[in-house]
Amino acid sequence: MPYHVVQHLRDETTKLAPTSLGKIHPLNKAPIIEHNGHIICESGAILEYILDQGKNDLRPDKQSSDYYAYLEWMHFAEGSLALPVITHLLMQMETRSGDAPLDGYITKELNLDLSYIDSILAQRTYFAGAMFSAADIMMTISLEIAGSLGLLENRPNIQSYLARIQDRTAYKKAREFG
Ligand SMILES: N[C@@H](CCC(=O)N[C@@H](CS)C(=O)NCC(=O)O)C(=O)O
């Protein structure tokens, strides 16, 4: 596919993404793509979007057993592996000791993510729109943990979303298992 790369250079002092990136998508993270009116972040979602655009051999056939290995690694990369690797990287950059390491970063990231999620849930019933989807199943556990840690006090839309989810018959049935 033809493409045009736009660079957003990191802030010299903070080493974080510049505010120009946040004007394109409120999560203020690279990569982001813009195509046919779609603005998409999250590298895994971007890859799936690009693969959906046409003929390609970068995704095993859905009927093959390789497809599920592909799916697992696609999610594992950012869902599991990135956290310890990036935490290790940040700890190496950190020069303070005691409780200070990472504290500013984690608080900033939590506020960024939770306020973004709250703004999205102000506009729609479920993450993908009007229909409950697997994205809701993926999001619920972390939001519930955030709630139990007292992180949702100023997030009314996430709170009402969780109440909606917890009221679903399937959710109640799943809770019977633990
Ligand atoms: N899970 C996201 C991670 C996005 C991310 O953290 N991007 C980094 C660069 S690789 C970034 O923009 N960092 C700048 C910042 O956090 O300010 C993805 O897969 O796209």
Side-chain angles (χ1 to χ4, degrees):
M1 289 173 70
Y3 61 89
H4 170 63
V5 178
V6 180
Q7 286 195 323
H8 293 260
L9 298 178
R10 287 177 187 268
D11 182 283
E12 279 291 326
T13 315
T14 64
K15 309 289 181 214
L16 296 173
T19 49
S20 60
L21 201 56
K23 292 187 181 125
I24 300 169
H25 192 292
L27 284 179
N28 206 25
K29 295 264 188 294
I32 299 172
I33 59 165
E34 291 185 76
H35 184 246
N36 284 350
H38 296 288
I39 296 178
I40 307 177
C41 69
E42 277 305 322
S43 47
I46 290 170
L47 281 179
E48 292 286 342
Y49 176 87
I50 292 171
L51 297 180
D52 283 347
Q53 300 311 303
K55 215 170 147 47
N56 63 76
D57 55 5
L58 296 180
R59 182 167 52 188
D61 190 90
K62 214 165 185 174
Q63 311 310 323
S64 71
S65 59
D66 285 352
Y67 177 76
Y68 294 101
Y70 160 85
L71 202 57
E72 184 177 301
W73 291 111
M74 283 290 282
H75 286 263
F76 177 83
E78 287 295 313
S80 290
L81 181 63
L83 178 65
V85 171
I86 298 296
T87 306
H88 186 81
L89 169 76
L90 292 173
M91 288 304 282
Q92 283 194 337
M93 292 163 70
E94 182 58 68
T95 52
R96 296 165 294 172
S97 58
D99 290 339
L102 296 185
D103 189 48
Y105 174 79
I106 292 168
T107 305
K108 173 184 155 287
E109 288 298 302
L110 275 173
N111 279 333
L112 178 68
D113 289 353
L114 293 175
S115 68
Y116 176 62
I117 294 168
D118 201 63
S119 73
I120 291 295
L121 292 175
Q123 304 160 37
R124 47 183 101 149
T125 312
Y126 297 111
F127 277 100
M131 191 193 88
F132 177 84
S133 76
D136 297 292
I137 298 175
M138 288 296 292
M139 289 297 291
T140 294
I141 180 73
S142 290
L143 291 179
E144 286 189 327
I145 292 171
S148 71
L149 295 172
L151 297 171
L152 300 182
E153 269 153 33
N154 299 318
R155 313 289 179 200
N157 301 305
I158 303 180
Q159 285 182 29
S160 50
Y161 167 81
L162 282 177
R164 256 190 325 277
I165 292 287
Q166 288 158 355
D167 198 40
R168 297 183 73 248
T169 308
Y171 176 94
K172 290 178 186 156
K173 194 169 174 190
R175 287 307 295 236
E176 286 170 16
F177 296 97

